[in-house]
Amino acid sequence: MSRLAFLGVAALLSAAAATPVAAQEVIYNPGYCAQFYPNGNCQNKGPNSPYTGDYQLRNEIRGAYAAGVSPCALGADYYVGRGGRRYACY
């Protein structure tokens, strides 16, 4: 009986390990994407992809610090001062 139980547990574990995993969505025309976003992730819709909101937000914040715009003007809830203290944006 213990062999049958062991075989059942092994079958259950192998079935659980072989479940399908959701694949990450890909970009259908990566050449067109790379033409307009040379530093973007044009292979899939993961991090730094121009087709997700993450890419535009990061570029907007990068440009803001170069132009001298405060993080509050970009919609941040707070910013960190020089001493490490958090200041709320109103």
Side-chain angles (χ1 to χ4, degrees):
M1 188 66 177
S2 65
R3 288 185 185 174
L4 187 59
F6 180 71
L7 185 62
V9 169
L12 185 64
L13 288 176
S14 65
T19 57
V21 179
Q24 192 173 24
E25 193 172 355
V26 297
I27 306 294
Y28 288 106
N29 194 351
Y32 182 81
C33 170
Q35 179 181 2
F36 295 105
Y37 304 102
N39 296 328
N41 176 11
C42 292
Q43 298 299 318
N44 55 34
K45 291 192 178 180
N48 204 23
S49 173
Y51 295 106
T52 59
D54 188 36
Y55 185 81
Q56 286 88 358
L57 179 65
R58 265 192 268 158
N59 281 344
E60 188 176 315
I61 289 174
R62 281 186 198 141
Y65 290 119
V69 177
S70 73
C72 294
L74 295 172
D77 294 330
Y78 63 89
Y79 68 96
V80 179
R82 289 187 179 183
R85 181 178 170 197
R86 291 183 179 188
Y87 295 95
C89 294
Y90 298 105

